[in-house]
Amino acid sequence: MTAAGIPAPAAPGYVAETLALLGTQDPIAILSETPAWLAARIEGRSLAQLRKPEGPGKWSLVQVLSHLADTELAYGWRARMILTASQPPIQGFDQGAWLDRFDYASDDPALALQTFTTLRHWNLRVWRGATSPADLARVGMHSERGPESLDILRRLAAGHDLRHRRQIERLLKVIS
């Protein structure tokens, strides 16, 4: 549990739920459309709206945007390591600790969205270029989840987008 009262995701349940959100959808399509989807959702919102949490102990829109930017950094690093090293270690991280330590609540939402969008476009080069069965079967050793293929990582990244899109839809009902 973090100082903000947000529990860290439990690895097996989190992975299964996140992959289920994606289902049979194309992960590249989801990854590609998320930056524009996010921009459309925050357009015209006041800073007060963007900083309002969903509820006590819940995240605000700016915190979600900052989390997505930092997570994009992590996913991009992991993908590059899996593609260029033999079963590299893939370090997990405590999203709540990052939320607290890096004070996501005070972040600039425009900068968080810009950072996410830039990193996502840069990472899409990697995702789009790694589609062979051999690439998708490459494995990294996640510190919490064990062996994780590039295919699973790519699907988790897309499912993660969908998880936070649902969260944002809930948030928009609260802040409107």
Side-chain angles (χ1 to χ4, degrees):
M1 186 83 56
T2 68
I6 300 164
Y14 172 82
V15 169
E17 290 170 14
T18 303
L19 293 175
L21 286 172
L22 180 64
T24 60
Q25 296 178 80
D26 176 15
I28 300 298
I30 299 299
L31 293 167
S32 298
E33 66 191 24
T34 296
W37 187 95
L38 289 169
R41 297 312 180 280
I42 70 164
E43 185 177 358
R45 307 280 176 188
S46 70
L47 188 57
Q49 287 176 308
L50 295 173
R51 292 196 190 285
K52 183 177 180 179
E54 186 177 356
K58 301 285 187 176
W59 291 7
S60 68
L61 238 163
V62 71
Q63 288 172 307
V64 174
L65 291 171
S66 296
H67 166 72
L68 288 171
D70 274 353
T71 301
E72 192 64 19
L73 184 70
Y75 276 127
W77 173 258
R78 291 172 181 173
R80 284 165 177 80
M81 292 304 297
I82 289 171
L83 285 166
T84 61
S86 178
Q87 298 190 356
I90 305 298
Q91 182 61 47
F93 65 95
D94 180 340
Q95 68 180 13
W98 286 29
L99 173 115
D100 294 337
R101 176 69 173 125
F102 304 121
D103 192 17
Y104 288 176
S106 298
D107 281 347
D108 175 343
L111 180 58
L113 178 61
Q114 177 187 16
T115 301
F116 169 77
T117 299
T118 300
L119 288 169
R120 173 57 57 88
H121 287 296
W122 196 244
N123 288 339
L124 277 166
R125 294 171 44 257
V126 174
W127 296 125
R128 288 184 178 128
T131 57
S132 74
D135 284 342
L136 295 176
R138 291 183 67 90
V139 171
M141 300 304 289
H142 193 282
S143 63
E144 298 163 348
R145 301 188 290 252
E148 196 161 273
S149 71
L150 184 70
D151 181 51
I152 293 292
L153 180 67
R154 182 179 69 166
R155 291 177 22 207
L156 281 172
H160 182 260
D161 280 8
L162 295 174
R163 176 180 293 279
H164 287 294
R165 286 189 198 185
R166 285 190 336 185
Q167 180 184 23
I168 288 168
E169 292 294 353
R170 288 191 319 266
L171 262 162
L172 290 174
K173 291 175 185 171
V174 171
I175 67 172
S176 295

